[in-house]
Amino acid sequence: MGIVLNQSFKNTLILILGFAIGGINVLFLYTHFLQDDYHGLITFILSTANILLPLTIFGMQHSVIKYFSSYKEKSEKDSLLSWSLILPLLVIVPLGFVGMYTYEFISNWISKENTLIKEYTYLIFLCAVFMGYFEVFYAWTKVQLNSVFGNFVREIFARACATVLLIAVFFELITPSQFIYGITIAYFLRMFIMMLYAFKIYFPKFTLTKPKNLKEILRYSMYIIMAGSAATLLLEIDKFMIPQMEQIAEVAYYSVGIYIASVVAIPNRAMQQITHPITAEYLNTNNLKGMKDLYKQSSINLLIVGGLLFLLINLNIVDMYKIIDKPQYAVGVLIVLMISFSELYKLSLGINGAILTNSKYYRMFFYFSLAMAATVIVLNKFLIQKFGIDGAAMATLITILIFNTIKIWYIKKKFDMQPYTKHSVVVLFLVVLLYFVFNYVNILENAFLNIIIKSILITAIYLFLIVKLKLSEDINALLNKYINKKA
């Protein structure tokens, strides 16, 4: 668990920095420097691009992670990496031509309720391609157990570019329309930087020789495309559907709440960069004991860190919206609670998803994802009409609770392992207890100072109890190491 914890810790720091930059953007710069319609527009473009991403890249980022460690010869590895760049073109090129000839129909359809979208429709496809190839090159570095730089570029570069561009909008150096194009260029540059770094870490001898198990890779990729598309729908379909039923500005209000809640997911995003390739290696070598240990360790560690973030966000959310000082955005308080709880539940599953996607049961990931996507679409259609943007968050929460519970049962049935221990129950009890204790505590009238003091108090009490009760050996060792260095 050493390399996992080490790189996860570094990735967590990067993610925190990235979220801090993104937080400044989303909570202050977007809300004050950019019109609500354009804020909603860029959210719509990037969310829709994410929905297209699995298709445009042919699922090759997952295939690289699954199969790279199974090859022994460099020539076989080089062949896999070469084809990870070739196969997506078999989708991107035809899709691009189809898009050109049906552009008017597509742009009219998705801009029916909000005409602002029409002019920028083609940027969705470009962003999807740039995001997709970034993920492929990032996968190259992850299989070398080198995830930190890629995570830095992924989480910080585009957000830093957005900061610069938003400031440029404020000083009228560029228009809101040029801002949209600037963000697209930022995603291209992010992909290009990742490509150069991937080549530096491992430069393959490019070849057209097919991998010996190409049929198996294609079969796996097809499932992953469909599963990835369905899984992405779960995350992004709400931001796509809201403009079809509400004004596009509602996407901006919703996305701020989602962004705040998504901070809870930081530990999982940090840890999975390194646990995914390790899980694949355990499965390729049939090391079920190592995988079982990683399953439980990842679950308790993620639950502890995520529990603290859940408390800090939801116990300070009212003050956060006061600082934003935009009353129309404050409708997101309930959204934050529902989405952050769903993220905390996902954290508690540890490497559940990595086990499913990298095992011989990967097809089930497709069926789960498809069922989740269908469920969330139906629920969104009904709940958005009934409850507005709160309904979109409710649809996500219900879907995640149902299907992730089924995933726990399925992994238990197939591998005779589950992520929870008695320590998991204790952590959950602490989170619930501290939430209700501090939910009615308001120390100062000044929102900013109140957040700082409450956060310090909550963190101190929470970490003291976690360490005192010895709920995680890894976290105790990390904290003791950090404290001893300071001492």
Side-chain angles (χ1 to χ4, degrees):
M1 193 71 182
I3 188 171
V4 173
L5 200 62
N6 183 279
Q7 291 206 27
S8 296
F9 180 67
K10 291 177 181 177
N11 284 333
T12 299
L13 294 179
I14 290 170
L15 281 164
I16 290 171
L17 177 58
F19 267 81
I21 296 171
I24 292 170
N25 291 344
V26 171
L27 303 182
F28 302 105
L29 304 189
Y30 273 113
T31 54
H32 291 84
F33 292 1
L34 200 64
Q35 298 168 22
D36 291 352
D37 285 352
Y38 279 96
H39 185 182
L41 174 63
I42 192 61
T43 302
F44 174 81
I45 289 172
L46 296 179
S47 294
T48 310
N50 270 311
I51 293 173
L52 284 178
L53 188 154
L55 176 62
T56 57
I57 211 62
F58 205 72
M60 288 309 298
Q61 74 273 38
H62 298 291
S63 295
V64 169
I65 289 174
K66 178 173 173 58
Y67 292 105
F68 188 85
S69 62
S70 68
Y71 296 134
K72 304 303 177 187
E73 301 295 329
K74 185 179 185 301
S75 59
E76 295 176 325
K77 295 179 178 180
D78 290 351
S79 179
L80 173 66
L81 297 181
S82 297
W83 278 81
S84 72
L85 301 181
I86 296 170
L87 287 173
L89 294 175
L90 302 180
V91 175
I92 291 170
V93 174
L95 202 61
F97 276 109
V98 171
M100 285 172 60
Y101 287 105
T102 60
Y103 182 80
E104 193 67 20
F105 170 78
I106 294 171
S107 61
N108 284 333
W109 173 61
I110 65 175
S111 64
K112 185 177 180 181
E113 295 297 325
N114 292 277
T115 56
L116 180 64
I117 297 171
K118 183 173 181 178
E119 180 184 346
Y120 305 94
T121 302
Y122 72 98
L123 296 181
I124 296 170
F125 180 70
L126 291 179
C127 286
V129 173
F130 300 154
M131 290 174 176
Y133 267 114
F134 172 88
E135 294 298 333
V136 171
F137 289 121
Y138 189 17
W140 287 26
T141 64
K142 284 195 280 189
V143 294
Q144 302 295 325
L145 300 185
N146 190 321
S147 65
V148 176
F149 180 81
N151 196 39
F152 179 85
V153 177
R154 182 191 214 180
E155 301 298 335
I156 292 177
F157 182 79
R159 287 172 175 150
C161 288
T163 302
V164 173
L165 290 169
L166 285 165
I167 293 171
V169 171
F170 176 74
F171 286 106
E172 298 183 352
L173 299 175
I174 62 173
T175 65
S177 177
Q178 290 170 330
F179 169 81
I180 303 296
Y181 292 108
I183 291 294
T184 305
I185 294 170
Y187 276 91
F188 167 76
L189 292 175
R190 189 184 72 150
M191 175 200 71
F192 186 72
I193 291 169
M194 195 67 240
M195 178 187 74
L196 295 179
Y197 186 73
F199 288 161
K200 178 183 177 182
I201 294 297
Y202 184 96
F203 192 84
K205 180 180 179 182
F206 287 96
T207 175
L208 294 178
T209 303
K210 299 176 184 177
K212 61 182 180 182
N213 58 338
L214 181 62
K215 288 184 179 179
E216 182 184 347
I217 292 172
L218 290 174
R219 187 164 54 248
Y220 176 77
S221 294
M222 286 302 297
Y223 272 98
I224 289 300
I225 288 170
M226 293 183 286
S229 297
T232 306
L233 277 175
L234 176 64
L235 298 174
E236 306 290 355
I237 194 63
D238 43 11
K239 303 182 200 72
F240 177 81
M241 291 182 71
I242 288 171
Q244 315 309 317
M245 291 179 271
E246 305 281 343
Q247 291 301 305
I248 197 167
E250 294 288 318
V251 183
Y253 311 148
Y254 181 76
S255 66
V256 169
I258 292 292
Y259 187 85
I260 295 171
S262 66
V263 172
V264 176
I266 286 177
N268 189 36
R269 293 176 62 181
M271 186 173 282
Q272 69 180 202
Q273 311 303 338
I274 189 66
T275 55
H276 264 268
I278 291 177
T279 303
E281 186 174 349
Y282 281 159
L283 286 164
N284 287 333
T285 58
N286 201 33
N287 184 358
L288 296 184
K289 183 184 182 305
M291 188 171 72
K292 185 176 182 179
D293 291 341
L294 184 61
Y295 195 17
K296 289 186 180 294
Q297 287 174 314
S298 62
S299 173
I300 190 65
N301 291 339
L302 289 173
L303 186 59
I304 288 171
V305 179
L308 177 58
L309 293 174
F310 175 86
L311 290 171
L312 293 176
I313 289 167
N314 287 285
L315 293 173
N316 289 306
I317 187 61
V318 174
D319 286 324
M320 288 182 191
Y321 278 116
K322 285 181 182 177
I323 292 172
I324 293 174
D325 195 28
K326 287 278 186 175
Q328 66 269 35
Y329 284 87
V331 297
V333 172
L334 187 57
I335 292 170
V336 172
L337 180 61
M338 288 189 285
I339 298 300
S340 62
F341 182 76
S342 70
E343 292 292 349
L344 183 62
Y345 184 50
K346 286 196 291 184
L347 287 181
S348 74
L349 271 63
I351 60 167
N352 183 287
I355 293 173
L356 203 56
T357 55
N358 290 295
S359 72
K360 62 182 179 181
Y361 304 109
Y362 65 83
R363 292 177 182 84
M364 286 305 300
F365 180 67
F366 161 66
Y367 297 121
F368 280 132
S369 299
L370 190 63
M372 291 173 76
T375 302
V376 81
I377 289 172
V378 172
L379 288 175
N380 266 314
K381 185 71 175 175
F382 172 72
L383 293 174
I384 291 175
Q385 288 179 339
K386 192 171 181 62
F387 301 108
I389 56 178
D390 283 346
M394 198 180 304
T396 300
L397 175 61
I398 293 170
T399 304
I400 286 174
L401 288 177
I402 293 172
F403 286 96
N404 280 296
T405 302
I406 296 173
K407 285 181 184 179
I408 295 172
W409 167 81
Y410 187 80
I411 296 295
K412 171 66 176 174
K413 180 182 177 182
K414 295 299 182 182
F415 293 95
D416 191 29
M417 60 179 72
Q418 55 88 20
Y420 302 123
T421 67
K422 61 182 180 181
H423 289 166
S424 306
V425 178
V426 176
V427 174
L428 186 59
F429 174 76
L430 289 178
V431 171
V432 173
L433 177 65
L434 290 175
Y435 178 80
F436 283 107
V437 167
F438 281 94
N439 194 39
Y440 303 101
V441 173
N442 194 38
I443 300 171
L444 296 171
E445 287 301 318
N446 183 283
F448 185 74
L449 293 177
N450 198 45
I451 288 175
I452 293 175
I453 293 175
K454 278 180 70 175
S455 297
I456 292 172
L457 193 57
I458 293 165
T459 303
I461 295 172
Y462 184 80
L463 291 181
F464 173 78
L465 292 172
I466 292 295
V467 172
K468 197 71 176 175
L469 295 172
K470 298 179 180 178
L471 299 178
S472 168
E473 292 180 5
D474 294 315
I475 289 178
N476 273 29
L478 185 65
L479 289 174
N480 288 332
K481 181 180 177 182
Y482 180 76
I483 291 169
N484 288 337
K485 276 187 176 180
K486 287 292 183 182

